[in-house]
Amino acid sequence: MMWIRHCAVALLVLSGCTGGTGPDQQTGQGPMAGGPDAGADPGQKLLPPGPGPAFLYEDAPLAPPFQNVGVWQADPLYVMGASAYTQGEYVYQGFIFDDFGAATGEPTSRPHTGGALYRSGGGLHYPTDTATYAFNAADLLEFRVRKDGDQLKYRLTLNTMIAPDVTAIAIGIDTDGDASTGTHDWGYGIGELGALGLDHIIVTWGTGAELSSACSGCAEGQAITTSVDLERNQIELTVPLSPGMETWRHYLVTGLYDSAANAFKAIQESADAVNPGGAFLQNPPPVFDVGFRRHDQEPWGRLLDLEPTAVVDNLEDFQQYQSPDWGYWRDANQAQALARKDISAFHADINFFKLDQGEDDFSNVPKSGLINGVYGSRFDFGEGVLEDGPVVTAGRVQPYGLYIPSDFSFDEPTPLFLQLHGGSSTHNQMLSVPNFMLEFGEKRNALVLAPLARGPSATRYNNAGELDVFEALSHIDTLYNVDFGQLLVGGPSTGGEGTMKTSGRHPALFNGAFCIVAGTFAESLLDNHRHVPLLLWSGVADHRTPYWSTTHLAMLERGYRHEQGIFPGYGHVRHYVEDQWAPAREYLDSFGPAPTYPWHVTYTADPEFANPQWGLSHDRAYWLTEIAVASDAVIGRVDAFDLSAGKAVPATRTYQEYRDDPDHHIASGLVWTDPVHLPNRSNGLKLDLTGVASVTVWLDATSIDVRQEIEITTTSTHDAVVTLVSHAGTQEVSAPQGSSARSITLN
């Protein structure tokens, strides 16, 4: 077991260490619940690899910024705005990609901000030398401190550290809890940030540090030992201060370092190559990020009420319907506090008695409700925020939003709703709609996970965007023990597009999908939803995505279960404003768990967005894997039938109904009636192949008796090879162009 399995995270320590292991299929051995009986000893069966990327079945990695060297021992908290005492250390986990500084009357403009639903609270701009500053150089990821004899050791981890002496970090310490003693002026160009009564001020720029003290007989002028670890983005300080068993109040701010002035760089009106900008005539403090902000101090925004007849379709005007404390990047209160030049609310009262005694205290780590978390990626896309690259938010550490239900327990695997945000928003979009969390989280006793997908919209859930979704899911499973038999996926707008892509590429993972104002989807993706019911909600007044898409017609043509709800008077964002989701939850939950290994599998493989270097492939579903597309084809479709199951394609019933829950709308859809069971079975396999060069069939996951003669019928547009895998043997069978039939006995 890796470190995470040893109760590394606060929640695990509190509730018992039972981290998840990914979908049950991970071993490729042993029958699944409700799986087929192929007449073999269950321990002998060869079952296909689990759906989705292989890393879903691996322990989450320990990314470099979370790694410990030297004296440091505590595991990361992974929860932003949380703090804990553990293993002789005080650890604070900062918010990331929140380094926007003071509210100056104009939000900042960076590659990951600017849209109506992903603006920042602060307005500072980084210097234009992006190779050095990367729009993220002063972003605090983690703070920790421990006692070291009669000295203190601090470790400061930045989200981005391209050069060792670019960022300035100041730690202010009030040793006596008396604001009337000490100083309010930090010096170093920072000025006053409230009546803080600082007795000691530590300033470091990575390659050096200074200690100044406002109390007589203190450690003024004594040397601070510093070291920088560029691989891990860490700065370590050894400071000649001895707090004994006292409690000292700490403050922390970050900015950019001016080596010539030995100070924080002042904020200009406009940024240039080396100087930050965005002052907007406000003279803001030269601070980009403030530490020790608790998760409950950076609020989740709330949508304001609209008139019943209002239609909001212009996202740029949507801002007027939001409260001013909307927390896209969890920086709203930070921005306002810096504008007032008063950060007194953001502090950590560090109890050195607890550190001395090695006490564990995780009381400031939330155990339920809405949180922002961070995970460590397996892959390196560079650092910071990129203007032009495979991702927008780079770095080995990425954020996500998570709802934890109040009755969450590690004792049993937990269902999960995978929420994909819209193109003009972030991982905090739907987590700020309380009724959504109530319906899909609390009432289902389910986790709700909202990945960032490496940027608000640029990835569109392809490539690195898809990777982020599954890396976040893997991380959550490692920490919270996800029930992979109860996964739903949904999202609005671009998130609806991502929903169709995610469930269509990996259908065996999901029990249902919910696309909100999401338009029309590729036919190849719709093919793969035979066992993934689809719910579509659209607005008649939505001018961004057509309310009458071809998706409904295509699902009817295929005989797939789905429902389309068309809401008169609704524009592109009205569903989020109304925040009523009970019928959607009820519809998706009505289907129950999907079959692990269905008798009829349809899958279209599309290699366009496959990234095998990241473990992403779109060539498998259920008991079909390694579907290779023919050289002269763009996509490859397999329609496979387990004839020994004794079943027929179910009869269907279509409907169109007027409904008024959650509001007036027309619901049109298709349901399956009772399945037909055929009295006469054949121990056989039928494959219809279109544009396919080869496919692997895992017979032990079907009802076929591999000890008996097997009848194989194929219809193919190309000469293809079918590889049959079972505990009884593996055999390649040719599927020539046209139709063919044969009987085989496995070796």
Side-chain angles (χ1 to χ4, degrees), residues 494-506:
T494 300
E497 175 186 336
T499 294
M500 181 59 69
K501 290 175 178 177
T502 303
S503 59
R505 291 165 176 167
H506 311 279

Side-chain angles (χ1 to χ4, degrees), residues 37-272:
D37 180 5
D41 184 312
Q44 296 177 345
K45 289 184 178 181
L46 292 178
L47 298 179
F55 60 68
L56 276 180
Y57 316 108
E58 302 170 356
D59 288 311
L62 188 61
F66 294 131
Q67 293 172 1
N68 290 327
V69 294
V71 301
W72 304 102
Q73 299 178 18
D75 292 306
L77 302 180
Y78 292 124
V79 179
M80 294 191 238
S83 61
Y85 295 89
T86 174
Q87 296 178 274
E89 298 172 20
Y90 174 86
V91 181
Y92 166 76
Q93 193 78 67
F95 297 94
I96 62 171
F97 298 113
D98 66 320
D99 48 329
F100 305 114
T104 60
E106 182 178 271
T108 192
S109 178
R110 301 184 195 170
H112 67 309
T113 66
L117 298 180
Y118 55 99
R119 291 175 179 168
S120 64
L124 302 194
H125 299 256
Y126 276 103
T128 58
D129 176 8
T130 57
T132 300
Y133 298 94
F135 300 108
N136 194 231
D139 189 8
L140 178 71
L141 172 63
E142 186 188 78
F143 164 97
R144 57 178 66 194
V145 62
R146 66 180 299 124
K147 298 181 75 172
D148 182 32
D150 59 355
Q151 301 185 106
L152 294 177
K153 280 191 177 293
Y154 292 91
R155 195 181 82 183
L156 307 161
T157 307
L158 296 171
N159 196 31
T160 295
M161 184 190 287
I162 295 173
D165 54 0
V166 166
T167 306
I169 305 174
I171 302 170
I173 304 174
D174 175 9
T175 63
D176 57 11
D178 187 351
S180 66
T181 64
T183 179
H184 305 320
D185 190 342
W186 292 68
Y188 297 93
I190 301 172
E192 295 187 7
L193 295 175
L196 308 182
L198 303 179
D199 299 304
H200 303 291
I201 298 169
I202 304 165
V203 173
T204 181
W205 50 96
T207 56
E210 293 179 355
L211 169 65
S212 60
S213 301
C215 50
S216 60
C218 294
E220 180 89 36
Q222 294 190 35
I224 295 178
T225 302
T226 66
S227 64
V228 179
D229 187 335
L230 278 176
E231 178 186 359
R232 296 177 177 84
N233 294 357
Q234 295 171 359
I235 301 170
E236 183 178 305
L237 308 175
T238 303
V239 182
L241 293 175
S242 183
M245 302 298 172
E246 298 177 359
T247 296
W248 285 3
R249 176 162 291 187
H250 282 59
Y251 301 89
L252 187 150
V253 295
T254 72
L256 304 180
Y257 184 57
D258 184 341
S259 59
N262 189 29
F264 280 50
K265 287 186 175 181
I267 309 301
Q268 303 178 164
E269 287 298 303
S270 299
D272 58 31

Side-chain angles (χ1 to χ4, degrees), residues 453-500:
R454 294 274 183 171
S457 59
T459 63
R460 303 192 75 87
Y461 298 97
N462 294 317
N463 303 317
E466 178 186 7
L467 175 66
D468 179 85
V469 168
F470 285 108
E471 285 205 288
L473 180 58
S474 172
H475 170 85
I476 293 301
D477 176 51
T478 303
L479 299 189
Y480 297 94
N481 194 13
V482 172
D483 184 349
F484 276 77
Q486 297 190 67
L487 289 188
L488 297 175
V489 60
S493 193
T494 300
E497 175 186 336
T499 294
M500 181 59 69

Side-chain angles (χ1 to χ4, degrees), residues 116-121 299-304 318-319 321-332 425-426 428-430 432-433:
L117 298 180
Y118 55 99
R119 291 175 179 168
S120 64
W300 303 90
R302 278 291 298 117
L303 295 175
L304 302 182
F318 188 48
Q319 198 81 359
Y321 297 105
Q322 300 163 40
S323 59
D325 60 357
W326 186 276
Y328 306 116
W329 300 101
R330 307 303 298 277
D331 78 309
S425 191
T426 71
N428 288 328
Q429 180 184 23
M430 293 300 282
S432 52
V433 184

